[in-house]
Amino acid sequence: CGEWEMTIKRLIRTIIKEYHSLRLLLCGEGYRRAEYIRKHSLFGAMGENCYFHPWKMPGDPKLIFIHDNVKISSDVTFINHDISNALLNTKFKTDKFQYYTAPIEIFDNVLIGTGSIILPGKKIGPNCIVGGGTVVCKDVPEGTIVGGNPVRVIGNFAEFASKRES
């Protein structure tokens, strides 16, 4: 492909992404947003009974895999790539550094708090809570509550559920 064709393809992808971002915003409520994502196959996977409050489409939505009963609060950012290759290729005057992308996977029964950032290639295990503002820079083990920057375990999902039961 020539430079012109690549530019046109990039422009078309951007327009489609912005169209779906607008449609997500118009869905209003998070359960309808998750259903819209599932219906239009915008992500790699979107499970059942999910809630998706962010209105912006992630940069690489096909690299996001969300299982069942996942609740995602507002302003959560999914990052599936970086552009370190551009820096390194320029610095070392080469083209041997490749564009890096990696999938994000969120397993069953997960809550992700407002303003969290999920970095490339991370997995959030089943039965987890990610506190608001957390930067998920490593995998989250099953059954934990995590928070902070960098992410760290701050509690246990089963204990949390037990406290809230009464």
Side-chain angles (χ1 to χ4, degrees):
C1 288
E3 185 74 28
W4 175 250
E5 290 173 2
M6 294 291 284
T7 301
I8 295 296
K9 286 180 182 180
R10 212 172 300 126
L11 177 63
I12 290 170
R13 279 195 308 268
T14 300
I15 290 169
I16 290 169
K17 183 178 151 196
E18 293 304 318
Y19 168 79
H20 287 300
S21 289
L22 178 61
R23 291 294 306 268
L24 281 178
L25 180 62
L26 295 175
C27 285
E29 188 264 338
Y31 287 106
R32 290 195 305 205
R33 288 180 186 167
E35 190 56 40
Y36 179 86
I37 291 166
R38 182 179 23 264
K39 179 181 175 185
H40 294 281
S41 300
L42 300 180
F43 287 6
M46 175 61 80
E48 298 293 325
N49 194 35
C50 290
Y51 183 93
F52 187 83
H53 197 267
W55 63 270
K56 280 182 15 183
M57 284 294 293
D60 299 300
K62 290 293 187 182
L63 293 176
I64 297 176
F65 299 87
I66 297 174
H67 294 249
D68 296 334
N69 196 33
V70 172
K71 313 304 183 205
I72 301 171
S73 301
S74 62
D75 298 325
V76 172
T77 302
F78 297 91
I79 301 172
N80 291 99
H81 65 279
D82 73 18
I83 59 166
S84 60
N85 64 305
L87 169 77
L88 297 171
N89 284 331
T90 301
K91 175 174 176 40
F92 296 111
K93 297 176 181 34
T94 183
D95 62 358
K96 68 181 179 179
F97 297 98
Q98 300 300 306
Y99 183 70
Y100 173 75
T101 62
I104 293 171
E105 188 164 14
I106 302 169
F107 291 89
D108 296 340
N109 308 311
V110 170
L111 169 65
I112 301 177
T114 300
S116 295
I117 300 170
I118 318 299
L119 296 178
K122 302 308 169 246
K123 292 182 181 191
I124 300 174
N127 307 314
C128 288
I129 297 173
V130 176
T134 298
V135 177
V136 179
C137 56
K138 60 185 176 182
D139 290 347
V140 176
E142 178 176 356
T144 58
I145 300 172
V146 298
N149 180 8
V151 65
R152 64 188 179 285
V153 174
I154 59 174
N156 177 285
F157 185 89
E159 291 171 7
F160 172 80
S162 179
K163 285 179 188 176
R164 290 288 178 104
E165 191 171 28
S166 56

